[in-house]
Amino acid sequence: MNVLVTGAAGYIGSICSEFLLSRGYQVIALDNLQEGHAAAVPPAATFCRADLGIRSQIEEVFSHHKPDAVMHFAGEALVAKSVREPSTFYAANIAGGVNLLDAMIRHNVKKLIFSSTAATYGEPHTVPIPEDHSKSPINPYGKSKLRFEEILSDYRAYTGLHYATLRYFNAAGASAERGEAHRVETHLIPKVLDAALGLIPQLEIFGSDYPTPDGTCVRDYIHVLDIADSHVRALESIEKVSGEAFNVGNSRGFSILEVLDAAEGITGRKIPRKFSPRRPGDPAVLVASKEKLHRILGWQAQHSSLDEIITSAWTWKQKHPHGYSEAASR
Ligand code: UDP
């Protein structure tokens, strides 16, 4: 099967591409390389530089490569950026997504796995969060993903699209070959490791007055390889699970101070830190119920202990302290 992976040069898209290839799928890797890295795209994938904002470019990819299914990772994903620049998020995550859906319909491609997010829930009133929890996102990132989930349900009703939505909690960790490297890094675990390596002077902890046991935010970290596995399972059962949303998390939350402690143990280094004000748009606690993904798709996290997540990220970071080489071209 030929799977079109959008955002295939990004962190999760590149590792899911690697995982798909290892399972015998062919991968058409689409990315505009605005945030992604050409060097992250697995060499066995067919790379297409294209932008979901430009319909003619998407059309060309579909006409030439004839995908059978799509995994849609491309989009804007930083909460803090979304509160500064909401229009970028609505353009990329909604308008770009609709352009992709229309190309799928034109080309009779009826299978889609969509990357959504825990940010669609907002501040949870129950933890762990089940999929039918109320949706009141508190930032434009979460709102843009929720609107697209609603749009998908219309395409299913009116065009016969089969889709499944995967709402990731905090993706983290690395494969042997690929890891997390954003041009401007904002994510906790890579920044903690940057501080361990002395690449930044200290880790800033955003907020010490949240209603959590130690006052810092609690998140559910999930290994990117376990996320990749959830995608393949959803694709392989797409007709059975069409229209469904699944959390992808580990049902276990860790505070920022707990992540720092674990990282100090794994790296054997003291990690300088300082407390800073809260970051706008951050809920206090996000922890998934993973029950549905397990019950319906038989998924079990294989790599998502906090130690394995940080160890894999640390191994990758030591080999690639400055991320991917930008010199690579495809
Ligand atoms: N965080 C932090 N310092 C940093 C980066 C992140 O304190 O340098 C906090 C952030 O406020 C949030 C948690 O770590 O509570 C996870 O943030 P991240 O950006 O990794 O993922 P998000 O939860 O936004 O998807």
Side-chain angles (χ1 to χ4, degrees), residues 17 19 35 49 77 83 102 105 143 199 208 220 226 251 302 308:
S17 297
F19 191 85
E35 299 287 339
R49 187 168 184 170
V83 300
D102 287 346
I105 300 313
K143 287 181 191 168
L199 298 173
S208 55
D220 183 343
D226 287 329
S251 294
Q302 303 288 333
E308 184 167 348

Side-chain angles (χ1 to χ4, degrees), residues 36-75:
H37 309 273
V41 177
T46 303
F47 180 63
C48 302
R49 187 168 184 170
D51 191 313
L52 295 184
I54 304 173
R55 282 184 170 238
S56 57
Q57 293 187 359
I58 310 173
E59 179 58 32
E60 178 133 334
V61 172
F62 275 78
S63 308
H64 276 83
H65 298 288
K66 308 210 177 322
D68 302 301
V70 178
M71 290 190 180
H72 178 35
F73 300 92

Side-chain angles (χ1 to χ4, degrees), residues 6-330:
T6 74
Y11 168 44
I12 305 177
S14 65
I15 293 177
C16 283
S17 297
E18 173 188 319
F19 191 85
L20 280 165
L21 290 161
S22 75
R23 293 295 181 90
Y25 291 90
Q26 283 150 301
V27 172
I28 307 151
L30 180 154
D31 205 289
N32 64 6
L33 298 184
Q34 211 173 295
E35 299 287 339
H37 309 273
V41 177
T46 303
F47 180 63
C48 302
R49 187 168 184 170
D51 191 313
L52 295 184
I54 304 173
R55 282 184 170 238
S56 57
Q57 293 187 359
I58 310 173
E59 179 58 32
E60 178 133 334
V61 172
F62 275 78
S63 308
H64 276 83
H65 298 288
K66 308 210 177 322
D68 302 301
V70 178
M71 290 190 180
H72 178 35
F73 300 92
E76 294 280 342
L78 298 180
V79 170
K81 183 177 177 190
S82 82
V83 300
R84 292 194 309 269
E85 271 182 60
S87 76
T88 307
F89 281 66
Y90 295 121
N93 294 356
I94 299 179
V98 167
N99 291 341
L100 174 68
L101 292 180
D102 287 346
M104 290 180 67
I105 300 313
R106 281 197 303 278
H107 289 267
N108 204 29
V109 179
K110 295 276 167 110
K111 297 175 183 175
L112 174 76
I113 311 298
F114 172 54
S115 297
S116 189
T117 169
T120 53
Y121 297 112
E123 286 284 0
H125 52 73
T126 323
V127 176
I129 306 171
E131 286 81 354
D132 59 2
H133 187 283
S134 57
K135 315 286 180 309
S136 307
I138 60 169
N139 51 61
Y141 168 54
K143 287 181 191 168
S144 68
K145 290 285 187 173
L146 183 59
R147 292 291 92 81
F148 196 68
E149 288 191 16
E150 292 161 357
I151 289 168
L152 283 174
S153 135
D154 283 347
Y155 274 74
R156 176 165 182 262
Y158 305 125
T159 73
L161 175 73
H162 289 305
Y163 74 94
T165 291
L166 298 176
R167 296 191 188 123
Y168 315 152
F169 282 62
N170 284 64
S175 71
E177 305 276 329
R178 294 177 177 79
E180 188 166 8
H182 298 102
R183 292 208 169 77
V184 178
E185 192 53 76
T186 63
H187 290 104
L188 181 67
I189 290 177
K191 289 197 80 170
V192 164
L193 300 180
D194 282 347
L197 280 175
L199 298 173
I200 57 173
Q202 64 208 344
L203 189 273
E204 268 188 89
I205 300 171
F206 298 133
S208 55
D209 58 351
Y210 283 99
T212 59
D214 65 21
T216 66
C217 283
V218 170
R219 292 290 182 273
D220 183 343
Y221 296 91
I222 181 79
H223 198 292
V224 64
L225 288 172
D226 287 329
I227 293 180
D229 180 47
S230 72
H231 281 74
V232 171
R233 284 172 190 267
L235 179 60
E236 288 176 350
S237 297
I238 190 68
E239 275 153 36
K240 175 174 136 199
V241 301
S242 182
E244 296 284 339
F246 297 89
N247 289 334
V248 191
N250 204 25
S251 294
R252 172 80 165 88
F254 292 94
S255 72
I256 296 170
L257 293 179
E258 288 175 314
V259 170
L260 274 164
D261 273 358
E264 287 195 335
I266 287 160
T267 61
R269 300 180 185 205
K270 190 91 203 114
I271 300 175
R273 80 265 320 255
K274 75 161 187 190
F275 285 104
S276 296
R278 291 182 179 197
R279 193 174 69 174
D282 276 342
V285 177
L286 288 173
V287 176
S289 165
K290 60 180 177 183
E291 186 275 331
K292 184 176 175 185
L293 191 58
H294 175 60
R295 178 169 41 85
I296 298 184
L297 288 173
W299 176 92
Q300 304 245 38
Q302 303 288 333
H303 304 284
S304 290
S305 69
L306 189 60
D307 273 9
E308 184 167 348
I309 287 173
I310 297 177
T311 301
S312 67
W314 177 235
T315 303
W316 195 81
K317 174 72 83 176
Q318 285 174 293
K319 285 194 206 141
H320 307 270
H322 302 288
Y324 291 100
S325 151
E326 295 301 337
S329 64
R330 304 262 323 219

